[in-house]
Structure formats: structure tokens, C-alpha cells
Amino acid sequence: MSGEMGLRERKRQQTYQSVSDTAVALFLERGFDGVSVAEVAAAAGISKPTLFRYFPAKEDLVLYRFADHEDEAARVVAAGRAEGLAPLGALHAHFRRGLERRDPVTGLSDNPHVLAYHGLLYGTPSLVARLYGYQDRSERALAAELGDGLGARLAAGQIAAVQRILAMENWSRIAAGESADALYPQAADAADRAFAQLREGLGAQYGEPRR
């Protein structure tokens, strides 16, 4: 039974990915507002009601790529705690590793498709507005992992803001023509300085391992 459920879940995830990829390709070609949901469904080979069962809103067709990252910060903190790392130490190391492998989430990717996707995302107001919902859920998940309460929510908001600003700075510079490899040293230095500021501001509660 578990094997059958696993297969069903894999097929479900494959459908999510396939429909999202089809939609993004159409949006990149004709613009987000130039393609209807019905056209996406037809191109993906499913009905419009079926599409809406997977994606409640048109914007979610694009933002599906962020779904796996919603609780990423919380997972990083949890995994780091198991290894004796403080939350900021774990998140800092994770962000640096993302820069090293040119993870699009860090903004340090000059892959043409990634650049086109980011241009679509940040150039479409309704997508930016929908993205705020994803970011809010990410912050709430991180706050819960940090311990909940007002202090944890404030810390989660500051951490999320720093990572978002770092990523946007990287993306903006690459969109202006810089290469990811050339920008990497500066991006890594900026991340180090940003997390140092976070440690100074948030103090020992989140910056040092629990004894």
C-alpha cells in the first residue's frame, strides 16, 4: 500500500511540474497576461477544472517553483540544531553553499532561462503580490522553528528580509550584465557582512549554539 501511495504521489508531483513548466514556457513567450488558464490547460493536455485542482490561482502556475522553498529556512535551522549549529550559523552556511552552486534562490545565476523567469516574476505585479504570500508562510515556518512568540517572529522577519535583499541585489546586478562567476566573491562577502549584522542585532539567542 505504501508503495502504491508513493507512486501516486510521484505522479502527482510530476503533473505539478509538467503543468507549471508548460505554463511558464507560454508566459515567457507571450507574457503572463497574454495567456489564459484555458490555453495552459489545453497545452498541458488536461481540463481547466483539473488544472485548478492543482493550481488554485493562475499565479501559482509560476510560483510553484517556490513551493519547495517555503519551509526551507525552517528545515535548515532544524537540521543545524541537530548538528549543534545556531540558527544564524546554519542559515549563513546554507546561503553560502547556495551561492557556490549558483542556486537561483540566491539570485546568483546567469542561466538564461533563470534570468527570463525572474524577469517574468518581478516584472508582473500580480505575481509579485502572490509571492508575498509564499514569503509570509516561509517566515511563519521559520518563526515556529525559532521558538514562536514575538521575538521569534521579529527574528524570522529580519532573517528573511536579509536573504531576500541579498538575492535581489545579486539578480539585479546579473540582469544588468554581470556574470555569476565574476560576481561571486562580492556576493559571498555581502552575505558574510549581512549575517554578521544579523548576529550583532539578534544577539546570542539566535547567533550562538544552545548549550
Side-chain angles (χ1 to χ4, degrees), residues 19-62:
V19 175
S20 176
D21 288 348
T22 297
V24 169
L26 288 172
F27 296 150
L28 289 175
E29 179 184 351
R30 293 157 50 191
F32 183 75
D33 295 324
V35 181
S36 69
V37 172
E39 289 175 306
V40 173
I46 61 175
S47 68
K48 186 175 176 180
T50 297
L51 184 147
F52 277 124
R53 283 202 295 272
Y54 284 92
F55 300 95
K58 182 182 178 182
E59 289 76 11
D60 293 332
L61 288 160
V62 178

Side-chain angles (χ1 to χ4, degrees), residues 64-125:
Y64 171 71
R65 298 183 183 188
F66 285 86
D68 289 342
H69 296 285
E70 269 196 20
D71 63 347
E72 182 173 321
R75 286 187 277 111
V76 168
V77 169
R81 184 177 292 120
E83 298 176 1
L85 293 175
L88 287 178
L91 290 166
H92 182 191
H94 181 73
F95 194 86
R96 282 294 302 265
R97 289 193 297 270
L99 291 174
E100 290 170 5
R101 64 176 182 270
R102 309 299 188 260
D103 189 330
V105 172
T106 68
L108 193 68
S109 174
D110 50 15
N111 178 287
H113 184 75
V114 171
L115 286 174
Y117 174 81
H118 281 164
L120 169 69
L121 174 61
Y122 296 115
T124 308

Side-chain angles (χ1 to χ4, degrees), residues 89-167:
L91 290 166
H92 182 191
H94 181 73
F95 194 86
R96 282 294 302 265
R97 289 193 297 270
L99 291 174
E100 290 170 5
R101 64 176 182 270
R102 309 299 188 260
D103 189 330
V105 172
T106 68
L108 193 68
S109 174
D110 50 15
N111 178 287
H113 184 75
V114 171
L115 286 174
Y117 174 81
H118 281 164
L120 169 69
L121 174 61
Y122 296 115
T124 308
S126 63
L127 290 175
V128 173
R130 189 73 171 180
L131 180 60
Y132 288 147
Y134 281 73
Q135 294 170 341
D136 180 66
R137 290 189 292 275
S138 178
E139 288 182 25
R140 289 177 182 274
L142 177 57
E145 189 59 45
L146 291 175
D148 222 344
L150 179 59
R153 293 199 297 275
L154 289 170
Q158 292 177 66
I159 293 166
V162 162
Q163 295 188 116
R164 182 167 61 251
I165 290 169
L166 288 170

Side-chain angles (χ1 to χ4, degrees), residues 107 109-110 115 118-119 169-178 183:
S109 174
D110 50 15
L115 286 174
H118 281 164
E169 174 68 11
N170 292 336
W171 175 74
S172 296
R173 293 181 63 174
I174 287 178
E178 296 188 53
L183 182 57

